[in-house]
């Protein structure tokens, strides 16, 4: 999820529980739980050694966690390395390159932070990691896990707001190095089909990340529908559906998948497309990652890279003006108009933001700041013509409001992306929430809408629109929430909380639920985007997948009857829960 600082927009335009001490106690009924380190069911060292031999030496037994270099009592302590790691801890790049680290600390249960005065242990991390580089590596890993009843997680970059790529005491399948890349210049023939799809395409490895894919495709003037972060990998992105700033033109990322290779939980290496394994082809395009199998490669349609006009737009006023909420509500009500004019982007509403007054003092302001884009032009006036009616209404209705704009032309998507890619931070504790909003939700009284957006602390993303509404994916449909097909914006929020504070963590879950509730109230028949949401979302089955859930559950039960792959919140996870650190059956009668 994109991170943005509203104040930076205005400033630039004006210038123009102590979890590490928790020990996993063995569940009393071993047969009802996944094997866990220290229990009788855990595979012997001899078994792990034999497994490593089978893998050709690709099994990693992690030593102390990456933060241990900052802890004098740990064998890897190194003050010089600690300085380097502490600096890198807040970056996506550090965590995606480490086999066990995760971008948000709570998913490793804060068990080894870089602060030298905090506890450090490996309790919150996987017990073993397979550095998978081939489909066979994944097949062998899933078979070993199934035969030994070991919990499995799948990690590519760890850019996951749900924490699905982490689990204590698990066997982690690390697909980060599956980075193959092959273009199909004019057309693509799916395996087993008697026809050719007349579109250029690219086939990439399951661990391939969007940043490098964009760079390579730009050299041949092509682009795929993808997210705004360099480190997001195709596996998690596409299996979640994948929203994009290019979505209003072309649709969701998953709408453009032509074929994929995967390993099922039973260890079968298969190809899924519209001619074979059609049920998995449907499920893997929006049904969520780490559920139906492990993607080893995927073929995606490419598009001509567009010429773009993009930049920053801000509409703000002093925070104490009585009409601030009405103004914000009016701006939000104009999102359907913007989307109808092919504007995409990321809008950020802020309240009581401090900015310089130019005289060594500060002002408190509230309003909109955002990044917006239109395509197929190099003329800034084309963007201004779309925004001018909004600016005119604001200036007439609220004369004290300020409007600031900075636009530039970009010759390609990559040229834009190199400036505006997600530069957000990692290495802290955060839960996020979201809701898809349709035109009806944005058409209520503007003052009421402004109050709702303030209460929800929400940042609406203009990543739906005509391309998503009218998409025609191969095979007729995908498994992402059907309410995407009438959404105008994907509206996000979140709450940051301190580490090693169980009370603050519990409160954060409640806070995210509470601030998301106003969005649910104005869009009760809509859903939410699974990849950027609260792991504890109420009725997550239908919030994330709507009417598709029952079909997805049937596919899950068919291909993974023993729940080799389990994550939360993921399709079919109802039969298990994590008790302390161990994964155990809840009720054998749960469907």
């Amino acid at each position: 999820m994109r991170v943005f600082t509203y104040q930076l927009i205005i400033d630039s335009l004006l210038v123009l529980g102590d979890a590490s001490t928790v020990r996993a106690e063995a569940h009393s009924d071993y047969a009802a739980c996944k094997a866990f380190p220290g229990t009788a069911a855990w595979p012997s060292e001899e078994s792990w050694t034999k497994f490593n031999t089978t893998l050709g030496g690709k099994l990693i037994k992690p030593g102390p966690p990456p933060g241990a270099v900052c802890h004098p009592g740990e064998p890897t302590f190194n003050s010089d390395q600690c300085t380097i790691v502490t600096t890198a801890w807040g970056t996506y790049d550090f965590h995606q390159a480490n086999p066990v680290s995760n971008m948000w600390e709570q998913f490793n249960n804060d068990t080894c932070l870089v602060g030298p005065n905090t506890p450090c242990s490996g309790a919150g991390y996987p017990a073993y990691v397979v550095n998978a580089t081939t489909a066979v590596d994944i097949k062998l890993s899933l078979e070993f896990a199934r035969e030994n009843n070991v919990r499995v997680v799948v990690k590519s970059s760890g850019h996951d707001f749900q924490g699905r790529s982490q689990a204590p005491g698990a066997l982690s399948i690390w697909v980060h190095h599956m980075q193959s890349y092959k273009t199909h210049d004019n057309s693509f023939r799916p395996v087993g089909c008697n026809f050719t799809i007349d579109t250029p395409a690219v086939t990439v490895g399951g661990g391939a990340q969007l940043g490098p894919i964009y760079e390579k495709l730009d050299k041949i003037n092509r682009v795929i529908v993808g997210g705004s972060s360099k480190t997001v990998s195709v596996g998690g992105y596409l299996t979640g559906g994948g929203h994009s700033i290019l979505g209003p033109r072309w649709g969701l990322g998953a709408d453009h998948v032509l074929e994929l290779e995967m390993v099922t939980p039973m260890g079968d290496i298969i190809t899924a497309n519209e001619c074979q394994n059609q049920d998995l082809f449907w499920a893997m395009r929006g049904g969520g990652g780490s559920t139906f199998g492990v993607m080893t490669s995927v073929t995606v349609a490419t598009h001509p890279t567009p010429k773009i006009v993009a930049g920053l737009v801000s509409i703000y006023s002093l925070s104490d003006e009585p009409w601030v909420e009405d103004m914000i509500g009016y701006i939000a009500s104009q999102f359907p108009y913007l989307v109808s004019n092919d504007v995409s982007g990321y809008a950020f509403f802020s309240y009581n933001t401090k900015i310089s007054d130019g005289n060594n003092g500060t002002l408190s302001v509230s309003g909109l700041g955002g990044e917006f884009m239109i395509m197929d032009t190099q003329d800034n006036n084309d963007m201004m013509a779309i925004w001018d009616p909004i600016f005119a209404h604001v200036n007439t209705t609220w004369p004290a409001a300020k409007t600031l704009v900075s636009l530039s032309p970009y010759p390609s998507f990559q040229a834009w992306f190199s400036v505006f890619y997600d530069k957000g931070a990692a290495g802290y504790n955060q839960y996020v929430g979201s809701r898809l909003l349709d035109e009806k939700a944005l058409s209520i009284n503007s003052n009421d809408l402004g109050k709702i957006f303030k209460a929800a602390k929400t940042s609406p993303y203009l990543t739906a629109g005509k391309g998503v509404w009218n998409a025609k994916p191969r095979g007729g449909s995908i498994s992402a929430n059907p309410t995407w097909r009438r959404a105008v914006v994907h509206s996000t929020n979140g709450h940051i909380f301190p580490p090693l504070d169980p009370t603050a963590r519990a409160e954060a879950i409640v806070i995210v639920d509470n601030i998301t509730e106003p969005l649910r109230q104005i869009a009760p028949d809509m859903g939410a985007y699974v990849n950027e949401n609260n792991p504890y979302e109420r009725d997550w089955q239908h919030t994330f997948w709507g009417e598709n859930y029952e079909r997805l559950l049937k596919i899950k039960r068919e291909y993974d009857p023993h729940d080799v792959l389990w994550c939360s919140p993921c399709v079919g996870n109802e039969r298990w829960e994590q008790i302390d650190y161990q994964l155990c059956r809840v009720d054998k009668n749960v469907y």
Side-chain angles (χ1 to χ4, degrees):
M1 189 173 75
R2 199 168 181 81
V3 178
F4 197 86
T5 304
Y6 172 73
Q7 184 170 346
L8 291 179
I9 283 185
I10 298 176
D11 288 349
S12 64
L13 291 169
L14 290 172
V15 171
L16 109 248
D18 191 350
S20 63
T21 63
V22 175
R23 293 191 53 154
E25 299 295 334
H27 193 272
S28 58
D29 183 2
Y30 292 142
C33 298
K34 297 284 186 179
F36 192 82
T39 67
W42 187 248
S44 66
E45 286 296 319
E46 181 181 358
S47 296
W48 288 107
T49 299
K50 183 178 179 181
F51 177 44
N52 186 36
T53 300
T54 303
L55 289 167
K58 295 179 180 179
L59 184 66
I60 301 170
K61 185 174 185 179
V69 294
C70 294
H71 294 264
E74 293 296 319
T76 55
F77 170 71
N78 183 304
S79 58
D80 291 336
Q81 283 297 308
C82 177
T83 300
I84 295 171
V85 170
T86 300
T87 300
W89 194 261
T91 68
Y92 295 152
D93 287 342
F94 175 80
H95 298 283
Q96 60 92 15
N98 187 282
V100 297
S101 194
N102 187 74
M103 293 190 185
W104 290 278
E105 295 170 339
Q106 75 269 21
F107 296 123
N108 292 123
N109 219 16
D110 299 329
T111 48
C112 189
L113 309 180
V114 288
N117 296 320
T118 60
C120 179
S121 80
Y125 292 83
Y128 285 91
V129 178
V130 174
N131 183 14
T133 59
T134 70
V136 173
D137 295 337
I138 297 171
K139 170 186 172 67
L140 294 170
S141 300
L142 291 171
E143 289 176 345
F144 179 87
R146 187 178 72 253
E147 291 165 3
N148 291 277
N149 196 32
V150 172
R151 184 176 180 180
V152 175
V153 294
V154 183
K155 180 188 175 185
S156 179
S157 67
H159 194 122
D160 184 3
F161 288 96
Q162 302 277 29
R164 295 163 295 186
S165 60
Q166 291 292 319
L171 172 63
S172 176
I173 301 174
W174 191 34
V175 300
H176 177 67
H177 293 111
M178 300 185 76
Q179 298 280 341
S180 59
Y181 174 89
K182 178 183 178 182
T183 57
H184 310 274
D185 293 338
N186 300 307
S187 62
F188 176 75
R189 186 181 182 113
V191 174
C193 294
N194 60 4
F195 57 83
T196 297
I197 302 172
D198 292 327
T199 181
V202 62
T203 300
V204 297
Q209 294 172 315
L210 294 174
I213 295 173
Y214 292 151
E215 288 184 17
K216 293 174 183 177
L217 286 176
D218 185 65
K219 295 176 181 178
I220 57 171
N221 299 314
R222 306 294 293 183
V223 70
I224 62 168
V225 174
S228 64
S229 177
K230 291 182 177 181
T231 60
V232 168
S233 72
V234 294
Y237 175 75
L238 294 173
T239 53
H243 75 79
S244 171
I245 198 168
L246 299 175
R249 167 62 60 86
W250 288 306
L252 297 173
D255 287 326
H256 302 276
V257 174
L258 307 181
E259 180 175 277
L260 57 91
E261 182 190 76
M262 60 182 290
V263 185
T264 71
M266 299 303 288
D268 297 317
I269 301 172
I270 67 165
T271 297
N273 55 39
E274 60 193 288
C275 302
Q276 58 181 316
N277 298 304
Q278 293 93 332
D279 48 357
L280 286 172
F281 184 52
W282 180 79
M284 289 287 284
R285 295 176 295 160
S290 301
T291 301
F292 304 97
V294 182
M295 181 188 295
T296 58
S297 70
V298 61
T299 301
V300 183
T302 66
H303 304 277
T305 189
K307 295 184 183 300
I308 290 168
V309 164
L312 309 178
V313 176
S314 179
I315 304 173
Y316 71 98
S317 72
L318 295 177
S319 297
D320 58 4
E321 296 286 4
W323 37 262
V324 166
E325 290 171 351
D326 194 26
M327 181 186 73
I328 288 174
Y330 165 74
I331 296 168
S333 75
Q334 296 306 297
F335 290 151
Y337 158 76
L338 291 172
V339 168
S340 72
N341 282 277
D342 301 319
V343 174
S344 59
Y346 306 98
F348 304 89
F349 290 113
S350 182
Y351 303 86
N352 302 312
T353 298
K354 302 297 183 183
I355 66 169
S356 172
D357 65 359
N359 294 306
N360 298 318
T362 61
L363 297 173
S364 176
V365 300
S366 299
L368 166 76
E371 306 167 357
F372 299 96
M373 168 194 294
I374 58 173
M375 289 182 262
D376 301 332
T377 181
Q378 295 285 270
D379 188 346
N380 293 349
N381 291 322
D382 291 336
M383 177 75 93
M384 290 300 298
I386 298 171
W387 281 91
D388 277 343
I390 297 175
F391 297 152
H393 181 88
V394 169
N395 293 335
T396 300
T397 310
W398 305 287
K402 304 294 183 184
T403 299
L404 300 167
V405 180
S406 176
L407 301 172
S408 297
Y410 297 89
S412 68
F413 176 81
Q414 178 61 23
W416 171 86
F417 183 79
S418 66
V419 176
F420 286 97
Y421 71 90
D422 180 5
K423 304 176 183 69
Y428 59 93
N429 287 16
Q430 175 185 223
Y431 287 119
V432 304
S434 72
R435 192 75 177 178
L436 297 172
L437 304 181
D438 59 1
E439 185 169 359
K440 179 181 176 182
L442 298 169
S443 300
I444 65 174
N445 174 272
S446 62
N447 191 54
D448 292 340
L449 187 59
K451 291 180 183 297
I452 287 169
F453 271 48
K454 182 177 182 179
K457 300 180 179 180
T458 190
S459 299
Y461 297 171
L462 281 68
T463 55
K466 290 180 283 188
V468 175
W469 306 336
N470 302 322
K472 293 179 171 55
R474 304 302 302 187
S477 67
I478 62 173
S479 54
N481 194 312
T483 61
W484 268 110
R485 303 307 185 195
R486 60 179 189 271
V488 174
V489 297
H490 160 51
S491 207
T492 68
N493 56 27
H495 182 75
I496 298 171
F497 58 97
L500 301 168
D501 187 336
T503 300
R505 183 172 181 170
E507 289 174 348
I509 295 168
V510 174
I511 288 170
V512 171
D513 182 66
N514 287 343
I515 63 177
T516 306
E517 179 59 19
L519 302 178
R520 298 188 193 104
Q521 292 294 323
I522 62 171
D525 57 348
M526 297 295 285
Y529 177 50
V530 63
N531 278 355
E532 293 174 355
N533 221 297
N534 178 9
Y536 305 96
E537 173 70 30
R538 60 182 79 169
D539 188 24
W540 53 267
Q541 292 94 332
H542 298 99
T543 298
F544 297 151
W545 291 288
E547 64 195 45
N548 288 337
Y549 187 76
E550 282 66 33
R551 181 181 173 190
L552 286 166
L553 180 62
K554 183 179 179 181
I555 296 169
K556 171 68 173 177
R557 294 289 179 249
E558 178 180 354
Y559 287 94
D560 192 11
H562 305 297
D563 296 323
V564 175
L565 290 174
W566 186 95
C567 54
S568 181
C570 301
V571 171
N573 76 355
E574 294 88 348
R575 298 192 292 204
W576 300 78
E577 68 176 342
Q578 187 169 305
I579 301 174
D580 292 327
Y581 279 168
Q582 195 169 10
L583 188 62
C584 298
R585 283 295 293 254
V586 178
D587 181 350
K588 294 180 180 179
N589 296 319
V590 173
Y591 62 101

